[in-house]
């Protein structure tokens, strides 16, 4: 009769840092590999950078030329914000990209009666852009104040592992509508892309070329190249000639009209659309999006720290990163990107897929963003990749980020009914409430909050459309009111408490100390 298994054989002890990564936050691959990986992160960031202006600019009255300039400006500002965040913010390997969280207040501005009365489309585009800029500039003060005053650090003292699990998990799960629903808009390229990416990145990950794991590292760029060429072949052969307009829009490689409309060289600059205009109602609605961006980024930073094999960012570092993110939204307002900024979830997921969490790789990707945003034709070539190709990859990368959130459950007691209740209810409501708001808006052409005060409607509709935001409100409230005094160990607080302060763990200094000896002037708390 076989001996019964030992406890260590049937359980896995909790681990502060994720294992199995080839390069962590402060270790770097060779320069050649780092440049190739940085280019891969740049290509991935193009999906959202093109999709948001492609959706918003036509609503604003802009033409293809305006759309190209907004895409270029968004990428340029993304590059600057990513560099600032990796150098002086959290210092985590995170790409700071455009955010869909700002869509509700921006669409509300677009439909403002004072702007819709403008008959000339280009003049309406410029006037709308200036109104969006003014709202972003004012609203950015929320993150700047919460970050640099360390108020967000104080708020984070109410967080625990069981309270953070739904927030981090729904940073990925909450984007389910950007995954297969978008890939399914063109099944003939979306499904092959998904299958090929999974095969290359997982089943063939041990394939090596000169002792180089080329499939695991560069599955994204290889599969995008193959499927993009396949999509171009379908387009050139006339496969979509008699298909519906919606199918052609999503599947064809020549419908973006970006390359022909892009200038050869164009350097974005502040106030390029004219002086911003300011309206209190617009700014107040935009503040809700800034709060959503803050909460979504908080979850994304914690996921990125795990995928970079770092310790969770201490409260001081997290707050510092939020402050710099506020500066990033200010830049978005000054340059005119037509949206605010947040951490790019797909790029966080790519850290896990490639098993490379190096800060240098992300800084190189920021260089590509800035460089190609100025060389319009070349940047537009890559930006013309059909969006279903990106959406297919999101199905993997968003899920990977979500699973990182679930991994924080290892530090809690999941045999506790209290914890099961909190995790289950907050995850469910985090998905269910935003879905109700989406369905209501689709059917009624306005959100559930529909009073005469437009700014109030924008505020509530924006907050409750965000899965991580709803999850944080529910989870943190329940976690800090439901038997919290007697549940510190079940909540995972003995493990969590050492990461609250900069000096609580000796590894924090290695991961989060500012460069250029700046800690002398900004000592960590």
């Amino acid at each position: 009769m076989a001996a019964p298994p030992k406890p260590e054989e049937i359980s896995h002890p909790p681990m502060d840092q994720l294992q199995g990564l080839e390069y962590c936050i402060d270790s770097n691959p060779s320069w050649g590999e780092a440049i190739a990986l940085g280019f891969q992160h740049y290509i991935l960031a193009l999906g959202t950078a093109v999709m948001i202006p492609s959706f918003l600019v036509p609503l604003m009255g802009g033409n293809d030329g305006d759309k190209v300039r907004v895409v270029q400006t968004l990428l340029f500002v993304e590059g600057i914000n990513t560099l600032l965040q990796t150098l002086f913010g959290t210092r985590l390997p995170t790409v700071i990209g455009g955010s869909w969280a700002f869509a509700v207040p921006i669409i509300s501005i677009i439909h403002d009666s004072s702007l819709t009365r403008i008959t000339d489309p280009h003049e309406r585009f410029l006037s709308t852009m200036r109104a969006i800029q003014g709202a972003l500039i004012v609203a950015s003060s929320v993150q700047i104040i919460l970050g640099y005053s360390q108020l967000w650090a104080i708020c984070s003292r109410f967080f625990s592992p069981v309270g953070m699990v739904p927030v981090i998990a729904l940073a990925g799960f909450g984007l389910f509508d950007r995954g297969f629903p978008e890939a399914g808009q063109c099944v003939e390229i979306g499904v092959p892309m998904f299958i090929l990416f999974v095969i290359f990145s997982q089943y063939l990950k041990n394939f090596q070329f000169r002792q180089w794991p080329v499939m695991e590292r560069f599955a994204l760029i290889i599969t995008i190249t193959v499927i993009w060429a396949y999509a171009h072949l379908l387009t050139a052969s006339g496969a979509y000639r008699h298909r519906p307009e919606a199918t052609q829009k999503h599947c064809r490689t020549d419908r973006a009209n970006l390359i022909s409309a892009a200038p050869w060289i164009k350097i974005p600059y502040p106030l390029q659309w004219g002086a911003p205009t300011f309206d209190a109602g617009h700014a107040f609605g935009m503040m809700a999006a800034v709060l959503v961006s803050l909460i979504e980024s908080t979850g994304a930073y914690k996921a990125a720290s795990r995928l970079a094999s770092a310790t969770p960012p201490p409260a001081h570092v997290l707050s510092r990163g939020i402050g710099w993110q506020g500066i990033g939204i200010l830049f978005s307002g000054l340059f005119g990107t037509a949206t605010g900024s947040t951490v790019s979830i797909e790029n966080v997921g790519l850290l896990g897929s490639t098993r490379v969490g190096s800060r240098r790789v992300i800084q190189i990707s920021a260089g590509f963003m800035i460089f190609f945003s100025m060389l319009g034709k070349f940047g537009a070539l890559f930006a013309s990749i059909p969006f279903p190709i990106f959406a297919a990859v999101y199905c993997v990368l968003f899920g990977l980020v979500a699973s990182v959130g679930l991994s924080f459950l290892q530090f809690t007691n999941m045999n506790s009914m209290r914890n099961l209740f909190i995790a289950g209810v907050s995850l469910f409501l985090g998905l269910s409430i935003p879905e109700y708001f989406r369905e209501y808006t689709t059917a009624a052409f306005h959100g559930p909050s529909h009073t005469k005060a437009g700014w109030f409607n924008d505020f509530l509709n924006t907050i409750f459309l965000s899965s991580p935001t709803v999850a944080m409100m529910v989870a943190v409230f329940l976690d800090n009111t439901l038997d919290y005094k007697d549940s510190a160990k079940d909540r995972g607080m003995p493990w969590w408490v050492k990461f609250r302060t900069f000096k609580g763990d000796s590894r924090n200094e290695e991961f989060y100390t500012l460069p250029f000896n700046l800690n002398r002037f900004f000592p960590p708390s």
Side-chain angles (χ1 to χ4, degrees):
M1 185 176 176
K6 299 176 182 178
E8 60 268 21
E9 293 175 341
I10 59 174
S11 64
H12 303 277
M15 306 189 77
D16 291 346
Q17 294 170 276
L18 201 63
Q19 303 299 298
L21 292 170
E22 289 294 320
Y23 298 99
C24 66
I25 185 171
D26 52 1
S27 62
N28 301 308
S30 65
W31 276 105
E33 188 176 356
I35 291 170
L37 285 164
F39 182 73
Q40 190 168 236
H41 274 277
Y42 159 72
I43 291 293
L44 182 61
L46 280 174
T48 302
V50 173
M51 192 65 177
I52 293 177
S54 296
F55 172 66
L56 292 175
V57 170
L59 297 178
M60 298 161 64
N63 55 29
D64 289 334
D66 297 322
K67 181 171 70 174
V68 167
R69 283 190 65 191
V70 174
V71 170
Q72 286 180 279
T73 304
L74 181 54
L75 279 171
F76 185 81
V77 174
E78 278 186 20
I80 293 173
N81 289 341
T82 300
L83 277 179
L84 291 174
Q85 190 63 240
T86 54
L87 283 171
F88 308 116
T90 60
R91 307 214 70 217
L92 288 165
T94 51
V95 170
I96 308 299
S99 172
W100 284 101
F102 293 80
V104 171
I106 287 173
I107 291 173
S108 179
I109 293 173
I110 291 171
H111 292 141
D112 189 290
S113 58
S114 64
L115 296 169
T116 54
R117 281 198 298 266
I118 301 173
T119 54
D120 180 64
H122 185 65
E123 186 59 38
R124 180 161 63 88
F125 166 76
L126 291 177
S127 298
T128 306
M129 177 64 82
R130 292 167 189 162
I132 293 170
Q133 287 181 262
L136 284 170
I137 289 170
V138 174
S140 68
S141 61
V142 172
Q143 283 196 10
I144 293 172
I145 293 170
L146 286 174
Y148 291 125
S149 68
Q150 292 296 309
L151 281 173
W152 191 238
I154 295 170
C155 292
S156 69
R157 296 185 181 277
F158 294 97
F159 302 162
S160 73
V162 76
M164 281 291 99
V165 163
V167 182
I168 304 169
L170 290 185
F173 285 145
L175 295 167
F176 66 89
D177 58 328
R178 305 282 172 216
F180 202 82
E182 292 289 348
Q185 298 283 359
C186 189
V187 176
E188 54 266 43
I189 64 175
V191 172
M193 179 67 199
F194 172 77
I195 294 172
L196 210 60
F197 182 65
V198 171
I199 291 173
F200 280 23
S201 66
Q202 301 302 316
Y203 290 96
L204 298 180
K205 64 182 178 183
N206 294 322
F207 173 82
Q208 294 189 346
F209 176 74
R210 295 182 179 177
Q211 298 184 329
W212 205 34
V214 63
M215 288 298 185
E216 183 179 52
R217 290 283 192 279
F218 303 106
L220 177 75
I221 201 73
I222 293 170
T223 50
I224 283 181
T225 302
V226 170
I227 301 299
W228 189 17
Y230 167 61
H232 187 70
L233 185 64
L234 288 176
T235 301
S237 64
Y240 302 115
R241 194 168 295 151
H242 305 295
R243 299 288 294 276
E245 183 63 28
T247 302
Q248 296 197 39
K249 176 184 174 184
H250 289 100
C251 297
R252 293 181 69 108
T253 57
D254 59 357
R255 279 303 176 95
N257 296 328
L258 293 175
I259 300 174
S260 58
W264 281 103
I265 297 177
K266 182 73 175 180
I267 301 175
Y269 55 91
L271 308 184
Q272 60 187 331
W273 312 107
T277 57
F278 299 92
D279 180 276
H282 295 166
F284 196 83
M286 197 70 77
M287 285 179 184
V290 170
L291 287 172
V292 166
S293 166
L294 181 153
I295 291 169
E296 291 178 349
S297 296
T298 297
Y301 286 135
K302 293 187 182 297
S305 68
R306 196 144 179 78
L307 289 171
S309 198
T311 53
H316 164 83
V317 172
L318 186 62
S319 203
R320 185 177 74 196
I322 293 301
W324 276 106
Q325 196 168 299
I327 297 291
I329 295 173
L330 176 63
F331 285 158
S332 297
L334 289 173
F335 280 82
T337 60
T339 187
S341 60
T342 191
V343 176
S344 171
I345 301 298
E346 54 267 34
N347 288 89
V348 172
L350 190 58
L351 300 177
S353 177
T354 59
R355 295 199 300 152
V356 176
S358 168
R359 184 189 295 125
R360 177 185 291 173
V361 167
I362 300 302
Q363 291 170 338
I364 290 172
S365 76
F368 278 117
M369 291 176 202
I370 295 171
F371 179 72
F372 282 115
S373 67
M374 294 187 288
L375 295 180
K377 293 287 186 187
F378 293 100
L381 172 65
F382 299 120
S384 64
I385 299 171
F387 188 72
I389 291 179
F390 292 107
V393 179
Y394 293 168
C395 294
V396 176
L397 302 183
F398 289 163
L400 189 54
V401 172
S403 65
V404 170
L406 296 178
S407 75
F408 278 84
L409 289 172
Q410 67 184 302
F411 307 111
T412 68
N413 177 15
M414 289 314 290
N415 291 313
S416 160
M417 282 303 301
R418 172 194 181 274
N419 287 359
L420 291 172
F421 176 83
I422 292 171
V425 170
S426 54
L427 280 168
F428 184 82
L429 290 180
L431 287 170
S432 191
I433 291 176
E435 183 63 17
Y436 164 72
F437 271 70
R438 270 190 290 267
E439 289 184 2
Y440 191 106
T441 304
T442 302
F445 299 104
H446 59 76
S449 177
H450 188 57
T451 67
K452 292 182 179 179
W455 57 268
F456 180 77
N457 301 334
D458 293 343
F459 197 91
L460 285 187
N461 293 330
T462 300
I463 291 290
F464 288 105
L465 269 170
S466 166
S467 290
T469 305
V470 173
M472 173 173 275
M473 290 191 295
V474 175
V476 172
F477 174 78
L478 292 175
D479 190 39
N480 286 277
T481 56
L482 193 61
D483 299 330
Y484 70 97
K485 289 186 177 179
D486 303 320
S487 306
K489 188 175 180 181
D490 288 348
R491 297 166 69 200
M493 295 309 290
W495 172 81
W496 186 261
V497 71
K498 64 181 177 181
F499 301 118
R500 280 182 165 185
T501 61
F502 192 85
K503 296 179 180 178
D505 190 290
S506 58
R507 293 168 293 179
N508 290 337
E509 186 171 347
E510 174 190 354
F511 300 138
Y512 299 114
T513 298
L514 290 171
F516 316 123
N517 209 16
L518 288 174
N519 273 58
R520 290 184 304 166
F521 308 104
F522 306 101
S525 54

